[in-house]
Amino acid sequence: MGEKKSCYVTTPIYYASGNIHIGHTYCNVCADTIARYKRMMGYDVRFMTGSDEHGEKIQKKALEAGLSPKEYVDKIASSFKEVWKAMNISYDYYVRTTDESHVACVQKVFTKLLEKGDIYLGKYEGWYCTPCESFFTDAQVGEGHLCPDCHRPVHWESEDSYFLNVKKFVPDLLKFYEEHPSFCRKDKLNEMINTFIKPGLDDLCITRTSFDWGVPIKENPKHIVYVWIDALLNYVSALGYESGDDSLMEKYWGKDTEIVQLAGRDINRFHTIYWPILLMALGLREPDHILVHGLLLTKSGVKLSKSLGNAPSPYPLIERYGVDSLRYYMVREMQFGEDGAFTPTQFVDRLNADLANNYGNLVNRTLSMVNRYFDGVIPTYRSPSSPLTLEMMEKAFSKIEEYVSLMDKYDITSGAGKAMELLALGSKYFDDMAPWNLAKEGKTELLEETLYAACELIRMGSILLSPVMPEKTKEALDQENVPEELRSFEKIKEVGKLSLIHVNTLSPLFPRLKKDEELSFLTKLIDGE
Ligand code: ME8
């Protein structure tokens, strides 16, 4: 366990410009897994997500829908909240950039930096990509005048604008990177340094006058704050920064807080360059980690995205497979930090191998033998007599340690893998002990020891997997009727307290999927074989 006892976990705030697709849900599922893990480890966690509701793109979308921008984003924000509920995302606060408190915060920050001289009035000319809401240089757009991020055509824009004095902070930013190697993965950060910082970072144009759906600055209201500056400030406006009440800032943006911010690699630039600079300008501390995650791609390597129309909604998957199976697949199949394809075959294979055949099967086998041989009552615990039991328990304990060390490094993919390895010890143990033979041969004590140990294994594995699959792990613990106090991580190694518990009726946790049927269902949703 780390020294810091409070933890602030954030996701990017999602553009309120359309529906959430499974690509988007990836980030929130990973953040939720981290937030739940930290809570399980005793941290006082504040987990934040929200919606990014300003900007030209959204104004245009609202117009197309025949709604005012506010009506449009109200609808979208409530649809986002419904998705997060369906995905069991345990956020503590949902920020909207149209919230009065957020708008006031952005305006105060602007005034503060203008007074400090870190914002100044100038003229902006450059290549602008409307879908990405970003300006680019000649070199970045190349001869084809295409956006380097989304590869769509950019157009030339020129307007009076306010600028953030980015150049001034570059030496401090580089020093900060040097001194904080765990701020961001080295390869992801080097990519930013080489692509954006080394060629020379310009001061950032941070207001627009060509449209009006955004936060107007107090000093000159025809200027609207650039949507990215508006959006980034959500991370502190959500804690009441500049609201007159500093209590949440002190608690969750203080020096003793572990600040963990997730962002997809497509928005790495804003989170590892401009966000730290804004914080430096404001005299606020930097986050401990920007966890840059990869993107969900189709089998042919294309990003699942709203604008490309190749990304399914999560709802049909939740309905058919259950939310926890979808969450597990995302966390376990794609190495956190790397891109990964979402393919029907991998999806079915992963669910069958890990959930139906490993976890589900262990629960099913163990509890049905407890029913068959002991009338549904977990046998009394005795110190193990068989070396196989001792060895299995020892291995289980070391899997727990390995899980913790991986999860503490935010390697949630390998962490979930360790939990599965712990459960897989069960199958091997059953094969070695052959409890059905012990029953036949009347070796009751050894049979009791075997089933008791398997019940403990289910309890431990379920605790470790609970941040990823909060519902299914609860169901497993409920089926085993594990008392509430033995479900906490703190008690995970307290073996011996399940004696004489009456297990509940059994229903399969994860049905085994018929591959052909599922592939035909899934290939209609997702591009794949
Ligand atoms: O970028 N795979 O919002 P957004 C994985 N409003 N993650 C994906 C993905 C995919 N195929 N497609 C999108 C924004 N995402 C800004 C953020 S924060 C101050 C402002 C992820 O709705 C993407 O990487 O376009 C990002 O982390 C999140 O979804 C929101 O994307």
Side-chain angles (χ1 to χ4, degrees):
M1 246 181 250
E3 292 151 25
K4 297 181 176 184
K5 286 316 260 180
S6 65
C7 181
Y8 186 41
V9 180
T10 70
T11 70
I13 49 170
Y14 290 78
Y15 271 130
S17 62
N19 294 328
I20 293 285
H21 57 68
I22 51 171
H24 293 122
T25 62
Y26 177 72
C27 183
N28 229 327
V29 165
C30 294
D32 188 59
T33 300
I34 291 171
R36 287 177 187 269
Y37 170 73
K38 288 287 181 185
R39 286 191 200 110
M40 180 167 98
M41 300 311 273
Y43 281 77
D44 168 1
V45 173
R46 187 160 171 99
F47 171 25
M48 208 272 319
T49 190
S51 36
D52 187 354
E53 304 186 352
H54 288 134
E56 195 175 6
K57 183 164 67 175
I58 288 172
Q59 192 167 20
K60 282 188 180 153
K61 284 261 180 182
L63 201 69
E64 279 164 28
L67 296 171
S68 72
K70 184 65 169 69
E71 284 167 339
Y72 180 77
V73 294
D74 281 350
K75 262 179 77 168
I76 299 273
S78 38
S79 77
F80 283 9
K81 287 183 184 171
E82 271 170 39
V83 176
W84 302 139
K85 194 166 167 215
M87 297 291 297
N88 214 348
I89 305 298
S90 63
Y91 61 83
D92 300 293
Y93 188 75
Y94 189 96
V95 70
R96 298 182 54 184
T97 53
T98 52
D99 288 340
E100 262 174 48
S101 52
H102 173 80
V103 170
C105 170
V106 173
Q107 289 173 328
K108 283 187 183 150
V109 163
F110 198 95
T111 303
K112 192 168 177 168
L113 296 183
L114 197 62
E115 283 168 1
K116 266 184 78 198
D118 286 330
I119 287 179
Y120 62 89
L121 185 62
K123 201 166 191 56
Y124 196 84
E125 288 187 321
W127 297 105
Y128 192 69
C129 173
T130 306
C132 293
E133 313 260 19
S134 292
F135 272 106
F136 296 99
T137 61
D138 279 337
Q140 285 165 339
V141 300
E143 281 184 9
H145 299 155
L146 296 178
C147 169
D149 283 342
C150 75
H151 310 296
R152 279 176 279 213
V154 291
H155 63 274
W156 188 255
E157 263 195 30
S158 167
E159 55 188 44
D160 269 354
S161 289
Y162 288 87
F163 286 80
L164 179 68
N165 204 348
V166 165
K167 279 188 199 141
K168 169 182 147 185
F169 293 97
V170 170
D172 285 346
L173 182 67
L174 292 172
K175 188 160 167 260
F176 168 76
Y177 292 159
E178 282 272 331
E179 288 171 357
H180 297 85
S182 61
F183 173 64
C184 178
R185 245 175 69 166
K186 213 174 165 57
D187 55 338
K188 308 269 181 196
L189 199 59
N190 281 343
E191 193 189 323
M192 294 298 111
I193 295 173
N194 293 331
T195 318
F196 298 106
I197 302 184
K198 280 204 178 136
L201 204 56
D202 284 327
D203 286 350
L204 183 69
C205 169
I206 58 163
T207 59
R208 302 283 181 271
T209 50
S210 52
F211 62 93
D212 63 3
W213 180 238
V215 179
I217 64 168
K218 290 268 189 207
E219 295 73 9
N220 198 346
K222 76 173 186 345
H223 286 261
I224 298 298
V225 176
Y226 174 39
V227 69
W228 266 103
I229 297 296
D230 172 359
L232 286 166
L233 286 168
N234 90 83
Y235 300 130
V236 287
S237 79
L239 296 176
Y241 180 58
E242 291 289 325
S243 70
D245 176 357
D246 288 339
S247 52
L248 287 175
M249 279 300 284
E250 275 162 20
K251 201 161 173 196
Y252 298 108
W253 205 272
K255 67 177 179 7
D256 292 332
T257 312
E258 181 147 343
I259 303 176
V260 186
Q261 304 201 263
L262 283 82
R265 70 162 164 81
D266 52 337
I267 54 175
N268 182 2
R269 179 161 69 108
F270 293 96
H271 286 82
T272 52
I273 298 178
Y274 297 117
W275 179 225
I277 286 180
L278 255 179
L279 290 167
M280 276 175 200
L282 291 168
L284 291 174
R285 61 154 291 186
E286 302 295 343
D288 292 284
H289 309 285
I290 301 289
L291 302 180
V292 178
H293 66 77
L295 300 178
L296 257 71
L297 311 172
T298 63
K299 185 164 179 279
S300 33
V302 180
K303 173 183 167 185
L304 295 177
S305 99
K306 203 154 28 197
S307 51
L308 296 171
N310 61 358
S313 145
Y315 285 117
L317 294 165
I318 298 172
E319 270 160 36
R320 194 164 175 105
Y321 303 104
V323 61
D324 278 358
S325 298
L326 180 60
R327 288 171 60 111
Y328 178 76
Y329 174 77
M330 287 185 174
V331 171
R332 180 71 192 108
E333 184 68 33
M334 239 175 97
Q335 177 57 46
F336 188 60
E338 308 295 332
D339 286 354
F342 193 116
T343 72
T345 307
Q346 280 173 2
F347 185 77
V348 177
D349 287 348
R350 177 62 79 177
L351 264 45
N352 271 344
D354 290 6
L355 301 183
N357 297 349
N358 185 17
Y359 187 22
N361 194 32
L362 181 67
V363 174
N364 194 54
R365 278 167 110 187
T366 307
L367 299 190
S368 37
M369 283 192 259
V370 169
N371 276 323
R372 188 174 329 135
Y373 302 130
F374 299 106
D375 288 330
V377 178
I378 300 178
T380 303
Y381 173 72
R382 271 182 242 103
S383 288
S385 61
S386 159
L388 290 172
T389 312
L390 283 168
E391 189 198 3
M392 192 272 280
M393 275 298 160
E394 222 169 84
K395 281 191 182 154
F397 278 22
S398 56
K399 297 281 177 211
I400 295 173
E401 298 304 323
E402 290 168 52
Y403 165 92
V404 169
S405 101
L406 290 161
M407 294 294 281
D408 282 347
K409 286 188 225 123
Y410 304 101
D411 185 352
I412 53 176
T413 308
S414 312
K418 280 295 157 202
M420 275 299 155
E421 285 175 22
L422 180 145
L423 289 161
L425 294 171
S427 306
K428 164 126 191 6
Y429 180 64
F430 272 158
D431 290 345
D432 293 342
M433 299 298 279
W436 43 90
N437 288 340
L438 298 175
K440 261 191 249 155
E441 293 158 14
K443 295 182 176 159
T444 312
E445 284 199 3
L446 213 47
L447 177 65
E448 287 177 350
E449 176 174 319
T450 307
L451 294 186
Y452 185 90
C455 285
E456 287 289 10
L457 209 58
I458 293 171
R459 185 182 67 89
M460 292 173 193
S462 300
I463 293 174
L464 299 188
L465 283 172
S466 63
V468 190
M469 296 191 287
E471 276 178 15
K472 282 292 172 182
T473 51
K474 181 176 180 309
E475 214 177 302
L477 292 165
D478 285 348
Q479 288 196 9
E480 199 174 287
N481 210 3
V482 175
E484 211 49 55
E485 68 272 16
L486 295 176
R487 297 181 181 202
S488 69
F489 184 80
E490 228 188 324
K491 299 271 165 71
I492 196 165
K493 289 186 179 171
E494 290 195 12
V495 168
K497 297 187 171 162
L498 300 176
S499 309
L500 302 182
I501 284 175
H502 209 295
V503 303
N504 284 320
T505 28
L506 200 57
S507 58
L509 273 187
F510 303 100
R512 194 161 294 130
L513 302 172
K514 292 200 185 89
K515 199 160 175 176
D516 290 351
E517 268 172 39
E518 299 315 319
L519 289 188
S520 89
F521 170 79
L522 286 162
T523 40
K524 288 189 197 104
L525 290 178
I526 307 162
D527 156 35
E529 75 274 58

